[in-house]
């Protein structure tokens, strides 16, 4: 990849605009495909990016190649797929129809199985599994803010090595990994909070400041870790705390949690999970691709996953408008005390 590859972000919402914008600022050739509303915002205001470490940049409208039609995929050497997991199959059809065979597709999506789905649907493309660790929030028209910490990670290939070298140590830096399954499960452990945050109706920081919500999260993590051990999968840490210690840190008393974990993990006060936004907008959530993956793993092992199963059930009910929000005490009682199979997981 001696010449700069043409990168096209497919599904340029919060995550796609942030990654693509950061890579554009790093000197890459980047185009975006997204909704008309986002295109108009950027045409009117440009693209503004920031993070919790103080980095800020504004890219003028004439620097942003933003379209709404998938036909732009025909120019791509590299496609960054940032659609929600619920849209993977539809996106694959557009890539197959408009993309150039042998182009590289990097899946920066939540969940475990998107890369395998893409490999099955796009046999003529190079599929690279990626992982985005941070939450991105919209702070205004054409403005996106990285609200938590972490660095992008992708499977190590010739293409991803070249991209990582081009981006360097700038915002949007790309780390490489040989075992992306372990990385994906390490990220999924943290993503188990997405459903709890959505059910709380609060910001992530407000939710995590209430120990009963954290007790439910810790229980979901413990259940997942036990299943991963049975499956002989060792999740990779995607943060400062080893996965096996995460539930103990999450479920710790408020004083310990606030003075240790919250000081290490910078969380923007406005950050919410994307699933919370989905429920508010009446959209289908990614719960089947996160907590649902734990349930799927349990079944493959001949086991049950009562904590994650009941969380999935509550999110499904919320998607239908039933019991959209739960207080911390109500959620803990319902998940950890109200169901026999889930008892014994709480702190």
């Amino acid at each position: 990849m001696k010449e700069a590859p043409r990168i096209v972000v497919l599904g340029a919402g919060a995550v796609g605009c942030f990654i693509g914008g950061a890579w554009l600022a790093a000197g890459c050739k980047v185009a975006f495909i997204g909704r008309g509303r986002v295109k108009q915002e950027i045409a009117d205001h440009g693209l503004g990016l920031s993070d919790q470490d103080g980095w800020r940049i504004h890219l003028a409208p004439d620097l942003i190649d933003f379209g709404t039609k998938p036909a732009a995929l025909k120019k791509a050497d590299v496609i960054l797929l940032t659609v929600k997991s619920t849209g993977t199959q539809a996106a694959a059809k557009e890539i197959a129809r408009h993309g150039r065979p042998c182009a590289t597709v990097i899946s920066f999506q939540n969940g475990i199985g998107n890369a395998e789905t893409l490999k099955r649907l796009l046999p003529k493309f190079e599929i690279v599994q990626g992982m985005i660790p941070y939450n991105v929030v919209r702070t205004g028209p054409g403005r996106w803010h990285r609200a938590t910490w972490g660095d992008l990670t992708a499977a190590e290939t010739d293409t991803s090595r070249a991209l990582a070298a081009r981006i360097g140590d700038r915002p949007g830096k790309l780390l490489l990994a040989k075992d992306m399954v372990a990385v994906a499960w390490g990220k999924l452990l943290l993503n188990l909070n997405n459903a709890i945050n959505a059910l709380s109706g609060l910001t992530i920081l407000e939710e995590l400041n209430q120990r009963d919500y954290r007790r439910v999260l810790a229980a979901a993590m413990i259940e997942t870790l036990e299943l991963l051990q049975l499956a002989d999968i060792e999740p990779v840490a995607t943060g400062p705390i080893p996965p096996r210690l995460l539930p103990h840190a999450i479920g710790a008393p408020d004083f310990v949690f606030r003075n240790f974990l919250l000081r290490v993990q910078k969380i923007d006060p406005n950050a919410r999970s994307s699933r919370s936004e989905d429920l508010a907008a009446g959209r289908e959530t990614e719960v089947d691709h996160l907590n649902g993956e734990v349930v799927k793993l349990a079944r493959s092992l001949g086991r049950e996953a009562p904590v994650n199963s009941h969380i999935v059930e509550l999110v499904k009910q919320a998607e239908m408008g039933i019991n959209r929000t739960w207080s911390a005490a109500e959620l803990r009682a319902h998940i950890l005390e109200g169901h026999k199979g889930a008892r014994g997981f709480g702190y």
Side-chain angles (χ1 to χ4, degrees), residues 19 21 48 55 98 100 129 146 148 161 195 260 282 291 305 309 311:
I19 298 174
W55 176 68
H98 300 284
R100 293 190 302 104
Q129 185 170 0
R146 189 187 75 175
T148 52
R161 276 195 299 271
F260 174 58
N291 304 76
S309 292
I311 290 173

Side-chain angles (χ1 to χ4, degrees), residues 304-318:
E304 294 183 351
V307 175
N308 283 284
S309 292
H310 293 308
I311 290 173
V312 171
E313 178 184 326
L314 292 185
V315 173
K316 294 289 188 182
Q317 290 178 2

